[in-house]
Amino acid sequence: MEPRISIITLGVDDLDRAVRFYEDMGLERNERITEGVAFFQMGGIILALWPRDELAEDAGIRERTRGFSGVALAYNTRSEAEVGLMIERAEKAGGSVVKPAKRAFFGGMQGYFEDTEGNLWEVAHNPDFPIDEEGRITLPE
């Protein structure tokens, strides 16, 4: 297996609401494939939004009740100031602030928000995780 993640699919309760949220966050929806799903290019990864019940059916599992899934997506910023700005933008787009931006244990800044469907996102600036011009993050050597 090659070391990569190609697509992150989020199961959503309301596809239109979720699409509006991510568009308000600045992502552009792919216009070619739109029937019952939404795709957003995010650097070298695709973010997909798909109705939760259809995703569960496709995977062959029973849908679970909502609660903390044990998964958090992360968006790392290029500066500390961007952390607070992204948390504010998420709230204005209809998300919920879980943890406001503040100094993190690792020396940078960090905060959390939930999107309109309850998916947890960390927004962080970690000076030890550089981001190149194309937006790729790397672990320190």
Side-chain angles (χ1 to χ4, degrees), residues 108-124:
M109 293 293 286
Q110 170 191 52
Y112 284 86
F113 70 85
E114 284 184 341
D115 68 11
T116 57
E117 306 303 306
N119 296 297
L120 185 63
W121 282 83
E122 175 192 24
V123 180

Side-chain angles (χ1 to χ4, degrees), residues 41-55:
Q41 189 71 52
M42 295 185 73
I45 296 176
I46 295 169
L47 175 66
L49 306 176
W50 198 8
R52 190 181 307 269
D53 56 345
E54 293 178 33
L55 177 58

Side-chain angles (χ1 to χ4, degrees), residues 49-109:
L49 306 176
W50 198 8
R52 190 181 307 269
D53 56 345
E54 293 178 33
L55 177 58
E57 182 180 330
D58 188 62
I61 61 173
R62 286 186 24 212
E63 186 177 356
R64 299 180 187 147
T65 58
R66 256 174 102 166
F68 180 57
S69 67
V71 175
L73 303 169
Y75 177 79
N76 279 46
T77 63
R78 296 179 188 276
S79 71
E80 289 187 353
E82 284 180 272
V83 175
L85 294 173
M86 290 304 297
I87 298 287
E88 289 173 16
R89 186 171 188 171
E91 187 172 36
K92 287 178 185 171
S96 301
V97 176
V98 174
K99 180 180 177 182
K102 63 180 186 178
R103 182 76 40 211
F105 70 92
F106 53 79
M109 293 293 286

